[in-house]
Amino acid sequence: MTPRHVVVVGGGIAGLAAAQRLRELGGPELRITVVEQAPRLGGKIRTGELAGVPVETGAETFLVRRPEAKALAETVGLGARLVHPAAAPAALVIDDELRDLPRRTVMGVPARADDVAGVLSPAGRERLEQEPVGDGPILGDEDVTVGALVRKHFGDEIVDRLVDPLLGGVYSGRADGLSVDVTVPQLAAAARRHDTLAGAVADCLPPVAGAPSAGSAAFGAAASGSASSVPPVFGSVEGGLSRLVEATATAAAAEIVLGKPVRELRRTPEGWRCVAGDTRTPRVIECDALVLATPARPAARLLADVEAAAAAELGVLDYASIALVTLALGGVELPQRSGFLVPATEGRTIKAATFFTRKWPHLARPGLSLVRVSLGRYGEEQVLQRDDAELADIAHAELSAVLGMELPRPRAVAVDRWGGGLPQYSAGHADRIRRARAALAEHPIALAGALADGVGIPACVASGRAAAEAVHATLTT
Ligand SMILES: Cc1cc2nc3c(=O)[nH]c(=O)nc-3n(C[C@H](O)[C@H](O)[C@H](O)COP(=O)(O)OP(=O)(O)OC[C@H]3O[C@@H](n4cnc5c(N)ncnc54)[C@H](O)[C@@H]3O)c2cc1C
């Protein structure tokens, strides 16, 4: 029998995790090809270099409270290279002041007003304390936005000052546009059991006072480190996350085709034909099964002639664009913090900053501070229409203003843009994905990655592995 062949479309972490899991399941006999349109693997994970230091130009860290990314790093031989952030607290900018980011919340939603002291005004606090008790669970079967749920029970201020910037730190999105089922699933589940939001949040929080909850853990600027007594919440890989990409690709032992977008998928009597690359020199690849691990728009385009119903469900997913300005500054004493988040209500263009050299001990260099500033909230794309030099100037000026010091001219600057980088899971996303998967089940094509199962690296790894398992099951039956 000819060996079976699986093509993975998309060489981001989800596609590579799928390929690596397929290798585990299929052994050396299984033929695996990963086709990636870019000239490099990794998708939203890309380690660059600034002032001689390896810095992340895309994703920066992964949750280790969720096991999948850490487990993958260990499986592919990077266990000894795992690093964790320092115990530097993250801040929130309120009225141009850096205030401690409350830790006992679920994505910014507290169980008690005392847990967010310092963030709310007296009126905002009073509103939160006056939550009425309902006569049944506060959430029914339907999905709603995080903003709708929290505004209804706790008022606007907690959303605008805390929930919105935390969600912005992960999705570049707004609380009023993001699905509670997808972005804070543990809170959604608890809300279906409790008659107050306060009760639902309390149900999600760990019992230990002072310990941050997993749900409060937004990556990026808000990723606070862990006190030495508490297990780490976040991790990375010494040398950069691109090492995880490379090591996963190596472990997958797949044929890697770079620089060739898959343009067409066609059913054949035996399986599938993928056409990749430009029209003059196309690469045609025949295979038995497919994992689709691209963002939603290319996935919807590829599926339009295969399964229009699935394409339509995926095509609904919109994306936010962001720009990251990383500044290498000499002779600056940064606050002892991991960074800060800026609520949209503060009226600033920047939305967050991460103090790389404070947050990550392995990046610290004498006399050098590396700060990554992010710009671009969903719906404010005009901010990103400026050229790189203008974005760098805004980042530098607003960082100076927030820190209350005139920062020196940077020694080096990098501007990285992620157009359409972050999915905006609106209410109903999980149902749309369920329907898309049901429609694709008969083909079968497995969907993997942030287009379907969540934005974080662990979620993408889990999604890739599940897709591999589903595809492998179809090969063996
Ligand atoms: C700036 C930024 C910062 C982030 N920070 C963090 C963080 O700190 N922690 C965290 O957990 N997550 C973070 N994320 C989110 C996380 O990085 C992503 O959700 C995750 O990496 C997505 O992985 P993926 O494999 O699903 O998709 P992608 O990484 O988007 O990979 C999909 C791949 O498909 C390829 N492709 C598209 N069309 C085709 C085609 N037709 N043919 C072939 N290939 C195609 C693309 O080129 C891409 O390489 C961040 C994201 C961004 C943008």
Side-chain angles (χ1 to χ4, degrees):
M1 196 172 105
T2 44
R4 300 300 206 121
H5 184 193
V6 181
V7 166
V8 177
V9 184
I13 194 66
L16 293 172
Q20 183 268 339
R21 181 70 181 133
L22 278 164
R23 178 61 64 214
E24 281 176 350
L25 293 167
E29 290 296 292
L30 182 66
R31 197 174 152 209
I32 307 167
T33 305
V34 177
V35 189
E36 165 56 51
Q37 72 171 9
R40 57 162 195 96
L41 292 172
K44 308 297 184 304
I45 297 177
R46 188 176 71 211
T47 309
E49 199 193 273
L50 193 69
V53 183
V55 290
E56 302 300 348
T57 68
E60 182 212 344
T61 180
F62 52 79
L63 257 183
V64 295
R65 286 265 179 92
R66 256 196 87 150
E68 299 90 344
K70 179 172 180 261
L72 177 64
E74 286 164 350
T75 303
V76 300
L78 295 174
R81 291 189 175 273
L82 286 172
V83 288
H84 302 288
L92 194 63
V93 177
I94 302 282
D95 299 333
D96 267 349
E97 249 179 49
L98 291 184
R99 310 226 183 136
D100 282 346
L101 188 72
R103 287 162 70 84
R104 268 186 81 73
T105 70
V106 177
M107 196 56 94
V109 191
R112 306 173 316 150
D114 282 351
D115 292 334
V116 288
V119 170
L120 294 182
S121 68
R125 183 186 170 104
E126 200 175 312
R127 173 68 181 82
L128 200 146
E129 283 167 341
Q130 283 170 355
E131 183 188 16
V133 179
D135 52 9
I138 57 168
L139 188 61
D141 289 340
E142 80 289 359
D143 188 10
V144 297
T145 66
V146 182
L149 180 70
V150 183
R151 285 184 199 283
K152 182 170 167 199
H153 292 268
F154 281 176
D156 292 333
E157 200 175 81
I158 188 72
V159 176
D160 297 337
R161 289 193 167 185
L162 193 53
V163 180
D164 201 56
L166 273 166
L167 284 168
V170 179
Y171 299 96
S172 275
R174 307 302 302 266
D176 294 319
L178 292 167
S179 148
V180 69
D181 270 334
V182 179
T183 61
V184 211
Q186 73 280 40
L187 181 60
R192 294 190 170 101
R193 298 191 299 269
H194 287 267
D195 56 7
T196 60
L197 183 56
V201 175
D203 202 357
C204 299
L205 288 171
V208 187
S213 71
S216 73
F219 44 72
S224 36
S226 324
S228 53
S229 55
V230 183
V233 178
F234 287 95
S236 184
V237 176
E238 195 188 347
L241 288 174
S242 283
R243 285 214 165 141
L244 178 63
V245 169
E246 288 150 19
T248 306
T250 304
E255 185 192 348
I256 306 281
V257 178
L258 291 176
K260 295 210 183 294
V262 174
R263 287 188 287 108
E264 194 183 310
L265 299 179
R266 195 169 299 164
R267 207 83 179 83
T268 64
E270 295 78 30
W272 292 96
R273 178 172 301 139
C274 313
V275 183
D278 60 48
T279 43
R280 278 173 298 123
T281 51
R283 168 96 187 255
V284 178
I285 308 171
E286 310 275 348
C287 65
D288 301 289
L290 280 166
V291 174
L292 204 45
T294 69
R297 278 178 203 149
R301 263 196 309 274
L302 286 172
L303 291 173
D305 293 334
V306 173
E307 186 55 70
E313 301 287 3
L314 296 178
V316 172
L317 183 58
D318 202 3
Y319 282 75
S321 299
I322 67 166
L324 302 169
V325 178
T326 309
L327 305 167
L329 300 162
V332 172
E333 191 61 22
L334 290 173
Q336 293 287 349
R337 294 186 177 276
S338 58
F340 59 78
L341 295 169
V342 189
T345 44
E346 287 290 302
R348 294 214 168 272
T349 306
I350 64 172
K351 71 179 181 69
T354 306
F355 304 158
F356 275 161
T357 38
R358 282 268 188 255
K359 180 171 168 183
W360 297 101
H362 70 286
L363 298 183
R365 303 286 187 277
L368 180 72
S369 296
L370 293 171
V371 182
R372 182 166 99 169
V373 178
S374 62
L375 304 97
R377 295 181 180 89
Y378 182 59
E380 293 179 2
E381 283 73 18
Q382 74 284 359
V383 167
L384 306 180
Q385 279 158 12
R386 299 171 167 96
D387 65 24
D388 286 3
E390 279 179 280
L391 285 184
D393 284 347
I394 292 171
H396 185 266
E398 293 203 5
L399 185 64
S400 296
V402 169
L403 296 181
M405 57 171 113
E406 194 46 51
L407 293 170
R409 272 175 65 88
R411 287 186 193 163
V413 180
V415 179
D416 296 286
R417 293 173 187 262
W418 294 95
L422 286 159
Q424 303 296 299
Y425 307 115
S426 57
H429 172 82
D431 282 338
R432 288 191 288 277
I433 292 300
R434 257 191 297 280
R435 289 194 295 269
R437 285 196 161 124
L440 292 172
E442 64 180 79
H443 291 289
I445 296 179
L447 296 176
L451 88 167
D453 299 316
V455 79
I457 295 170
C460 292
V461 169
S463 175
R465 290 176 69 83
E469 284 157 20
V471 157
H472 187 257
T474 66
L475 293 180
T476 49
T477 50

